[in-house]
Coordinates of all heavy atoms in Angstrom, one line a residue:
M270 N 63.8 124.6 81.3 CA 64.3 124.1 82.5 C 65.6 123.3 82.4 O 66.5 123.5 83.2 CB 63.3 123.2 83.2 CG 63.6 122.8 84.6 SD 63.6 124.3 85.6 CE 63.9 123.5 87.2
K271 N 65.7 122.6 81.3 CA 67.0 121.9 80.9 C 68.1 122.9 80.6 O 69.3 122.6 81.1 CB 66.8 120.9 79.9 CG 65.9 119.7 80.2 CD 66.0 118.6 79.1 CE 65.2 117.5 79.6 NZ 65.2 116.4 78.5
T272 N 67.9 123.9 80.0 CA 68.8 124.9 79.7 C 69.3 125.6 80.9 O 70.5 125.9 81.1 CB 68.2 126.0 78.7 OG1 67.6 125.4 77.6 CG2 69.2 126.9 78.3
M273 N 68.4 125.9 81.9 CA 68.9 126.4 83.1 C 69.7 125.4 83.9 O 70.9 125.9 84.4 CB 67.6 126.8 84.0 CG 67.9 127.5 85.2 SD 68.5 129.0 84.7 CE 68.3 129.9 86.4
K274 N 69.4 124.2 83.9 CA 70.2 123.2 84.7 C 71.7 123.1 84.0 O 72.7 123.0 84.7 CB 69.6 121.9 84.5 CG 68.5 121.7 85.5 CD 67.9 120.2 85.5 CE 66.8 120.0 86.5 NZ 66.3 118.7 86.5
K275 N 71.7 123.2 82.7 CA 72.9 123.1 82.0 C 73.9 124.4 82.3 O 75.0 124.2 82.5 CB 72.8 122.9 80.4 CG 72.3 121.5 80.1 CD 72.1 121.5 78.7 CE 71.6 120.1 78.2 NZ 71.4 119.9 76.7
L276 N 73.2 125.5 82.3 CA 73.9 126.8 82.5 C 74.4 126.7 84.0 O 75.6 127.0 84.2 CB 72.9 127.9 82.4 CG 73.6 129.4 82.6 CD1 74.7 129.6 81.7 CD2 72.5 130.3 82.5
T277 N 73.6 126.2 84.9 CA 74.1 126.1 86.3 C 75.1 125.2 86.4 O 76.2 125.4 87.2 CB 72.9 125.7 87.2 OG1 71.7 126.5 87.1 CG2 73.3 125.6 88.6
L278 N 75.1 124.1 85.8 CA 76.2 123.1 85.8 C 77.5 123.7 85.3 O 78.6 123.5 85.8 CB 75.8 121.9 84.9 CG 76.9 120.8 84.7 CD1 77.3 120.1 86.0 CD2 76.5 119.8 83.7
V279 N 77.4 124.4 84.2 CA 78.6 125.0 83.5 C 79.2 126.0 84.6 O 80.5 126.1 84.6 CB 78.3 125.7 82.2 CG1 79.4 126.5 81.7 CG2 78.0 124.6 81.2
I280 N 78.4 126.8 85.1 CA 78.9 127.9 86.0 C 79.5 127.2 87.3 O 80.6 127.7 87.7 CB 77.7 128.8 86.5 CG1 77.3 129.7 85.3 CG2 78.2 129.7 87.6 CD1 76.0 130.5 85.5
V281 N 78.9 126.2 87.8 CA 79.3 125.5 89.0 C 80.8 124.8 88.7 O 81.7 125.0 89.5 CB 78.4 124.6 89.7 CG1 79.1 123.7 90.6 CG2 77.2 125.3 90.2
L282 N 80.8 124.2 87.6 CA 82.0 123.5 87.3 C 83.2 124.4 86.9 O 84.3 124.1 87.3 CB 81.8 122.5 86.0 CG 80.8 121.5 86.4 CD1 80.6 120.5 85.1 CD2 81.5 120.5 87.4
A283 N 82.8 125.6 86.3 CA 83.8 126.6 86.1 C 84.5 127.2 87.2 O 85.6 127.3 87.4 CB 83.3 127.7 85.0
T284 N 83.5 127.5 88.2 CA 83.8 128.0 89.5 C 84.8 127.0 90.3 O 85.8 127.4 90.8 CB 82.6 128.4 90.3 OG1 81.8 129.3 89.5 CG2 83.0 129.0 91.6
L285 N 84.3 125.7 90.2 CA 85.1 124.8 91.0 C 86.4 124.5 90.3 O 87.4 124.4 91.0 CB 84.3 123.4 91.0 CG 83.1 123.4 92.0 CD1 82.5 122.0 91.8 CD2 83.7 123.5 93.4
T286 N 86.5 124.5 89.1 CA 87.8 124.3 88.3 C 88.6 125.6 88.6 O 89.9 125.3 89.0 CB 87.6 124.2 86.7 OG1 86.7 123.2 86.5 CG2 88.8 124.0 86.0
M287 N 88.2 126.6 88.5 CA 89.1 127.9 88.7 C 89.5 127.9 90.2 O 90.6 128.2 90.5 CB 88.4 129.2 88.5 CG 88.2 129.4 87.0 SD 87.5 131.0 86.4 CE 86.2 131.2 87.4
F288 N 88.5 127.5 91.1 CA 89.0 127.6 92.6 C 89.9 126.4 92.8 O 90.9 126.7 93.6 CB 87.6 127.3 93.3 CG 87.9 127.4 94.8 CD1 88.1 128.5 95.4 CD2 87.7 126.2 95.5 CE1 88.3 128.7 96.8 CE2 87.9 126.3 97.1 CZ 88.2 127.5 97.5
A289 N 89.8 125.2 92.3 CA 90.6 124.0 92.6 C 92.0 124.3 91.9 O 93.0 123.8 92.5 CB 89.9 122.8 92.1
A290 N 92.1 124.9 90.8 CA 93.3 125.1 90.1 C 94.4 125.8 91.0 O 95.5 125.6 91.0 CB 93.1 125.9 88.8
G291 N 93.8 126.8 91.7 CA 94.8 127.5 92.6 C 95.0 127.0 94.0 O 95.6 127.7 94.9
Q292 N 94.3 125.8 94.3 CA 94.4 125.4 95.7 C 95.4 124.3 95.8 O 95.8 123.6 94.9 CB 93.0 124.7 95.9 CG 91.9 125.6 95.8 CD 91.9 126.9 96.7 OE1 92.2 126.7 97.8 NE2 91.7 128.1 96.2
T293 N 95.9 124.2 97.1 CA 96.8 123.1 97.4 C 95.9 121.8 97.8 O 94.7 121.8 97.8 CB 97.6 123.4 98.5 OG1 96.8 123.6 99.7 CG2 98.5 124.6 98.4
S294 N 96.5 120.7 97.7 CA 95.8 119.5 98.0 C 95.1 119.6 99.5 O 93.9 119.0 99.6 CB 96.7 118.3 97.9 OG 97.7 118.3 98.8
E295 N 95.7 120.3 100.2 CA 95.2 120.3 101.6 C 93.9 121.1 101.7 O 92.9 120.8 102.3 CB 96.2 121.0 102.7 CG 95.7 121.2 104.0 CD 96.8 121.9 105.0 OE1 97.9 121.4 104.9 OE2 96.4 122.9 105.5
E296 N 93.9 122.3 100.8 CA 92.6 123.1 100.7 C 91.6 122.3 100.1 O 90.4 122.4 100.5 CB 93.0 124.4 100.0 CG 93.9 125.3 100.9 CD 94.5 126.4 100.1 OE1 94.6 126.3 98.8 OE2 94.6 127.5 100.6
V297 N 91.8 121.5 99.0 CA 91.0 120.7 98.3 C 90.4 119.6 99.2 O 89.3 119.4 99.2 CB 91.6 120.1 97.0 CG1 90.6 119.0 96.5 CG2 92.0 121.1 96.1
T298 N 91.2 119.0 100.1 CA 90.7 118.0 101.0 C 89.8 118.7 102.0 O 88.8 118.2 102.4 CB 91.9 117.5 101.8 OG1 92.8 116.8 100.8 CG2 91.5 116.4 102.8
Q299 N 90.1 119.9 102.4 CA 89.3 120.5 103.5 C 87.9 120.9 102.8 O 86.8 120.8 103.4 CB 89.9 122.0 103.8 CG 89.0 122.7 104.9 CD 89.8 123.9 105.2 OE1 90.8 124.3 104.6 NE2 89.3 124.7 106.3
I300 N 87.9 121.2 101.5 CA 86.6 121.6 100.7 C 85.8 120.3 100.7 O 84.6 120.2 100.9 CB 86.9 122.2 99.4 CG1 87.4 123.6 99.5 CG2 85.6 122.2 98.5 CD1 88.0 124.1 98.3
L301 N 86.4 119.2 100.3 CA 85.7 117.9 100.2 C 85.3 117.3 101.4 O 84.5 116.3 101.4 CB 86.6 117.0 99.3 CG 86.7 117.4 97.8 CD1 87.7 116.5 97.1 CD2 85.3 117.5 97.1
S302 N 85.9 117.8 102.5 CA 85.4 117.2 103.8 C 84.0 117.6 104.3 O 83.4 117.1 105.1 CB 86.4 117.6 104.9 OG 86.4 118.9 105.2
N303 N 83.6 118.7 103.6 CA 82.2 119.2 103.8 C 81.3 118.3 103.0 O 81.3 118.2 101.8 CB 82.1 120.7 103.3 CG 80.7 121.1 103.4 OD1 79.7 120.5 103.7 ND2 80.6 122.5 103.2
P304 N 80.4 117.5 103.7 CA 79.4 116.6 102.9 C 78.6 117.3 101.9 O 78.4 116.7 100.9 CB 78.6 116.0 104.1 CG 79.4 116.3 105.4 CD 80.2 117.4 105.1
E305 N 78.1 118.5 102.2 CA 77.3 119.2 101.2 C 78.1 119.5 99.9 O 77.5 119.2 98.9 CB 76.6 120.4 101.8 CG 75.6 120.0 102.9 CD 75.2 121.4 103.6 OE1 75.6 122.5 103.2 OE2 74.4 121.1 104.5
A306 N 79.3 120.1 100.2 CA 80.1 120.3 99.0 C 80.6 119.2 98.1 O 80.4 119.1 97.0 CB 81.4 121.1 99.4
R307 N 80.9 118.0 98.9 CA 81.1 116.8 98.2 C 80.1 116.3 97.5 O 80.2 115.8 96.3 CB 81.7 115.9 99.3 CG 82.2 114.5 98.7 CD 82.8 113.7 99.8 NE 82.0 113.3 100.8 CZ 82.2 113.7 102.2 NH1 83.3 114.4 102.6 NH2 81.3 113.4 103.1
T308 N 78.9 116.3 98.1 CA 77.6 115.9 97.3 C 77.4 116.6 96.0 O 77.1 116.1 95.0 CB 76.4 115.9 98.2 OG1 76.6 115.0 99.4 CG2 75.2 115.4 97.5
L309 N 77.5 117.9 96.2 CA 77.4 118.8 95.0 C 78.3 118.4 93.9 O 78.0 118.3 92.7 CB 77.5 120.3 95.4 CG 77.4 121.3 94.3 CD1 76.0 121.3 93.7 CD2 77.7 122.7 94.8
V310 N 79.6 118.2 94.2 CA 80.7 117.9 93.3 C 80.3 116.6 92.6 O 80.4 116.4 91.3 CB 82.0 117.8 93.9 CG1 83.0 117.2 93.0 CG2 82.5 119.2 94.4
M311 N 79.9 115.5 93.4 CA 79.6 114.3 92.9 C 78.4 114.2 91.9 O 78.3 113.6 90.9 CB 79.3 113.2 94.0 CG 80.7 112.7 94.7 SD 80.5 111.5 95.8 CE 79.7 112.3 97.1
D312 N 77.4 115.0 92.4 CA 76.2 115.2 91.5 C 76.5 115.9 90.2 O 76.0 115.4 89.2 CB 75.1 116.0 92.3 CG 74.5 115.2 93.4 OD1 74.6 114.1 93.5 OD2 73.8 115.9 94.3
Q313 N 77.4 116.8 90.2 CA 77.7 117.6 89.1 C 78.5 116.6 88.1 O 78.2 116.6 86.9 CB 78.5 118.8 89.3 CG 77.8 119.8 90.0 CD 76.5 120.3 89.3 OE1 76.5 120.4 88.2 NE2 75.4 120.7 90.1
I314 N 79.5 115.7 88.6 CA 80.2 114.9 87.9 C 79.3 113.8 87.2 O 79.4 113.4 86.1 CB 81.4 114.2 88.6 CG1 82.4 115.4 88.9 CG2 82.0 113.1 88.0 CD1 83.5 115.0 89.9
S315 N 78.4 113.2 88.0 CA 77.6 112.1 87.7 C 76.5 112.7 86.6 O 76.1 111.8 85.8 CB 76.9 111.5 88.7 OG 76.0 112.4 89.4
S316 N 76.2 113.8 86.5 CA 75.2 114.4 85.6 C 75.8 114.7 84.2 O 75.1 114.8 83.2 CB 74.5 115.6 86.1 OG 75.3 116.7 86.1
D317 N 77.2 114.7 84.1 CA 77.8 115.0 82.8 C 78.6 113.7 82.3 O 79.3 113.1 83.0 CB 78.8 116.1 83.0 CG 79.5 116.6 81.7 OD1 79.0 117.3 81.0 OD2 80.6 115.9 81.5
V318 N 78.2 113.2 81.1 CA 78.7 112.1 80.6 C 80.3 112.1 80.4 O 81.0 111.1 80.8 CB 78.1 111.8 79.1 CG1 78.8 110.4 78.6 CG2 76.6 111.6 79.4
T319 N 80.8 113.2 79.9 CA 82.3 113.2 79.7 C 83.0 113.1 81.1 O 83.9 112.4 81.3 CB 82.6 114.5 79.0 OG1 81.9 114.6 77.8 CG2 84.1 114.7 78.8
M320 N 82.5 113.9 82.1 CA 83.2 113.9 83.4 C 83.0 112.6 84.1 O 83.9 112.1 84.8 CB 82.6 115.0 84.3 CG 83.1 116.4 83.9 SD 82.8 117.7 85.1 CE 81.1 117.9 84.8
S321 N 81.9 111.9 83.8 CA 81.7 110.6 84.5 C 82.7 109.7 83.8 O 83.3 108.7 84.7 CB 80.2 110.1 84.2 OG 79.3 110.9 84.8
R322 N 82.9 109.6 82.7 CA 83.8 108.7 82.0 C 85.2 109.1 82.5 O 85.9 108.2 82.7 CB 83.8 108.9 80.4 CG 82.6 108.2 79.8 CD 82.6 108.4 78.3 NE 81.4 107.9 77.8 CZ 80.8 108.3 76.6 NH1 81.5 109.2 75.9 NH2 79.6 107.7 76.1
E323 N 85.6 110.3 82.6 CA 86.9 110.6 83.1 C 87.1 110.1 84.6 O 88.2 109.7 84.9 CB 87.2 112.2 83.1 CG 87.3 112.8 81.7 CD 87.2 114.3 81.7 OE1 87.0 114.9 82.7 OE2 87.4 114.8 80.5
M324 N 86.0 110.3 85.3 CA 86.2 109.7 86.7 C 86.3 108.3 86.7 O 87.1 107.8 87.6 CB 84.9 110.4 87.5 CG 85.0 109.9 89.0 SD 86.4 110.6 89.9 CE 85.9 112.2 90.0
M325 N 85.5 107.6 86.0 CA 85.6 106.2 86.1 C 87.0 105.7 85.4 O 87.5 104.8 86.1 CB 84.5 105.5 85.1 CG 83.1 105.6 85.8 SD 83.0 104.9 87.4 CE 83.4 103.2 87.0
S326 N 87.5 106.4 84.5 CA 88.9 106.0 84.0 C 89.9 106.3 85.2 O 90.8 105.5 85.4 CB 89.2 107.0 82.8 OG 90.5 106.7 82.4
K327 N 89.7 107.3 85.8 CA 90.7 107.6 87.0 C 90.5 106.6 88.0 O 91.5 106.0 88.5 CB 90.4 109.0 87.5 CG 91.2 109.4 88.7 CD 92.6 109.7 88.2 CE 93.4 110.3 89.3 NZ 94.9 110.5 89.0
I328 N 89.3 106.1 88.4 CA 89.1 105.1 89.5 C 89.6 103.9 88.9 O 90.3 103.1 89.8 CB 87.5 105.0 89.8 CG1 87.1 106.3 90.5 CG2 87.3 103.8 90.7 CD1 85.5 106.5 90.6
M329 N 89.3 103.4 87.7 CA 89.9 102.1 87.4 C 91.4 102.1 87.2 O 92.0 101.1 87.5 CB 89.2 101.8 85.9 CG 87.8 101.6 86.0 SD 87.3 100.4 87.1 CE 87.8 98.9 86.3
G330 N 92.1 103.2 86.7 CA 93.5 103.3 86.8 C 94.0 103.2 88.2 O 95.1 102.4 88.4
T331 N 93.5 103.8 89.2 CA 93.8 103.7 90.6 C 93.7 102.2 91.1 O 94.6 101.6 91.8 CB 93.1 104.6 91.5 OG1 93.2 105.9 91.0 CG2 93.6 104.5 92.9
C332 N 92.6 101.6 90.7 CA 92.4 100.2 91.2 C 93.4 99.2 90.6 O 93.9 98.3 91.2 CB 91.0 99.8 90.7 SG 89.6 100.5 91.7
K333 N 93.7 99.4 89.2 CA 94.6 98.6 88.6 C 96.1 98.8 89.2 O 96.8 97.9 89.4 CB 94.7 98.9 87.1 CG 93.5 98.4 86.3 CD 93.5 98.9 84.9 CE 92.3 98.4 84.2 NZ 92.3 98.8 82.8
A334 N 96.5 99.9 89.5 CA 97.7 100.2 90.1 C 97.8 99.7 91.5 O 98.8 98.9 91.9 CB 98.1 101.6 90.3
D335 N 96.7 99.7 92.2 CA 96.6 99.1 93.6 C 96.8 97.7 93.5 O 97.5 97.0 94.2 CB 95.3 99.6 94.4 CG 95.3 99.1 95.8 OD1 96.4 99.3 96.4 OD2 94.2 98.5 96.2
T336 N 96.0 97.1 92.6 CA 96.1 95.5 92.4 C 97.5 95.1 91.9 O 98.0 94.1 92.5 CB 95.1 95.1 91.3 OG1 93.7 95.5 91.8 CG2 95.0 93.6 91.2
A337 N 98.1 95.8 91.1 CA 99.4 95.5 90.6 C 100.4 95.5 91.9 O 101.3 94.6 92.1 CB 99.9 96.4 89.5
M338 N 100.3 96.6 92.7 CA 101.2 96.7 93.8 C 101.0 95.5 94.7 O 101.9 95.0 95.3 CB 100.8 98.0 94.5 CG 101.8 98.3 95.7 SD 101.3 99.8 96.7 CE 99.8 99.1 97.4
R339 N 99.8 95.2 95.0 CA 99.5 94.1 95.9 C 100.1 92.7 95.4 O 100.6 91.9 96.1 CB 98.0 93.9 96.1 CG 97.4 95.0 96.9 CD 95.9 94.7 97.3 NE 95.3 96.0 97.9 CZ 94.1 96.1 98.2 NH1 93.2 95.0 97.8 NH2 93.6 97.1 98.9
R340 N 99.9 92.6 94.1 CA 100.4 91.3 93.5 C 102.0 91.2 93.6 O 102.6 90.3 93.7 CB 100.0 91.2 92.1 CG 98.5 90.7 92.0 CD 98.2 90.6 90.3 NE 96.9 90.2 90.3 CZ 96.1 90.5 89.2 NH1 96.6 91.1 88.3 NH2 94.8 90.2 89.3
H341 N 102.5 92.4 93.5 CA 104.0 92.5 93.6 C 104.5 92.3 95.2 O 105.4 91.6 95.3 CB 104.5 93.7 93.1 CG 106.0 94.0 93.2 ND1 106.9 93.3 92.4 CD2 106.7 94.8 93.9 CE1 108.1 93.6 92.7 NE2 108.1 94.7 93.7
M342 N 103.8 92.8 96.1 CA 104.2 92.8 97.5 C 103.8 91.4 98.2 O 104.5 91.0 99.1 CB 103.6 94.0 98.2 CG 104.3 95.2 97.8 SD 103.4 96.6 98.6 CE 103.9 96.3 100.3
M343 N 102.7 90.8 97.8 CA 102.3 89.7 98.5 C 103.2 88.6 98.7 O 103.4 88.1 99.7 CB 100.9 89.3 98.0 CG 99.8 90.1 98.3 SD 99.5 90.5 100.0 CE 98.7 89.1 100.4
P344 N 103.9 88.1 97.7 CA 104.9 87.0 97.8 C 105.9 87.3 98.8 O 106.2 86.5 99.6 CB 105.4 86.9 96.3 CG 104.3 87.4 95.4 CD 103.8 88.5 96.2
G345 N 106.5 88.5 98.7 CA 107.4 88.9 99.7 C 107.0 88.9 101.0 O 107.7 88.6 102.0
M346 N 105.8 89.4 101.3 CA 105.2 89.4 102.6 C 105.0 88.0 103.1 O 105.2 87.7 104.3 CB 103.9 90.2 102.6 CG 104.1 91.7 102.3 SD 102.5 92.6 102.0 CE 101.5 92.3 103.5
M347 N 104.5 87.1 102.2 CA 104.2 85.8 102.7 C 105.5 85.0 103.1 O 105.7 84.4 104.1 CB 103.6 85.0 101.6 CG 102.1 85.3 101.4 SD 101.1 85.1 102.8 CE 101.1 83.2 102.8
H348 N 106.6 85.4 102.3 CA 107.9 84.7 102.6 C 108.4 85.3 103.9 O 109.0 84.5 104.7 CB 109.0 84.9 101.4 CG 108.7 84.2 100.3 ND1 108.8 82.8 100.2 CD2 108.4 84.7 98.9 CE1 108.6 82.5 98.9 NE2 108.3 83.5 98.2
A349 N 108.3 86.5 104.2 CA 108.7 87.2 105.5 C 107.8 86.6 106.6 O 108.5 86.2 107.6 CB 108.5 88.7 105.4
W350 N 106.5 86.4 106.4 CA 105.7 85.9 107.4 C 106.1 84.4 107.7 O 106.2 83.9 108.9 CB 104.3 86.0 107.1 CG 103.4 85.4 108.0 CD1 103.0 85.9 109.3 CD2 102.5 84.2 108.0 NE1 102.1 85.1 109.9 CE2 101.9 84.2 109.2 CE3 102.5 83.1 107.0 CZ2 101.0 83.0 109.3 CZ3 101.6 82.3 107.2 CH2 101.0 82.1 108.4
M351 N 106.3 83.6 106.7 CA 106.7 82.2 106.9 C 108.0 82.0 107.5 O 108.3 81.1 108.3 CB 106.7 81.5 105.6 CG 105.4 81.4 105.0 SD 104.1 80.5 105.8 CE 104.5 78.8 105.5
G352 N 109.0 83.0 107.3 CA 110.3 82.9 107.8 C 110.3 83.3 109.3 O 111.2 82.9 110.0
D353 N 109.3 83.9 109.9 CA 109.2 84.4 111.2 C 108.7 83.2 112.2 O 108.9 83.3 113.2 CB 108.2 85.6 111.3 CG 108.8 86.9 110.7 OD1 110.1 86.9 110.7 OD2 108.1 87.8 110.6
T354 N 108.1 82.2 111.5 CA 107.6 81.2 112.4 C 108.5 80.1 112.7 O 109.6 80.0 112.3 CB 106.3 80.5 111.7 OG1 106.7 80.0 110.4 CG2 105.2 81.4 111.6

């Protein structure tokens, strides 16, 4: 049974990879707007250790960039706000 799950995982991921490689971001967004397809993708990623690590790395990188941007912008926003009063 585990072999069948692994084989299914490989086939699904290979299909998604080939499909996504030729897609524009708009088409990928459309695919991920379907809750069933999104759940399938998340389940597949979470069941694979390597892909889970890659996803967490991507999420953490995005969070760090967002935090850095906020730290850079907040003082300027506060000065602008204080100057308006």
Side-chain angles (χ1 to χ4, degrees):
M270 187 67 175
K271 287 184 179 186
T272 304
M273 186 65 160
K274 284 184 179 181
K275 288 180 182 180
L276 179 61
T277 303
L278 172 66
V279 169
I280 291 171
V281 168
L282 291 176
T284 303
L285 287 173
T286 302
M287 289 187 309
F288 186 70
Q292 304 299 313
T293 63
S294 62
E295 181 180 309
E296 292 169 325
V297 172
T298 302
Q299 183 180 7
I300 291 166
L301 292 176
S302 68
N303 178 350
E305 292 173 3
R307 187 173 53 244
T308 301
L309 177 63
V310 169
M311 288 188 288
D312 288 344
Q313 296 301 324
I314 291 171
S315 65
S316 67
D317 185 87
V318 174
T319 304
M320 285 193 288
S321 295
R322 287 181 184 156
E323 290 172 356
M324 181 60 72
M325 288 304 297
S326 175
K327 181 72 172 171
I328 290 170
M329 294 305 292
T331 302
C332 290
K333 288 178 184 176
D335 185 48
T336 302
M338 180 186 72
R339 288 182 188 179
R340 286 185 184 150
H341 178 71
M342 292 179 64
M343 288 304 284
M346 292 170 59
M347 287 300 292
H348 289 296
W350 180 72
M351 295 298 280
D353 288 345
T354 58

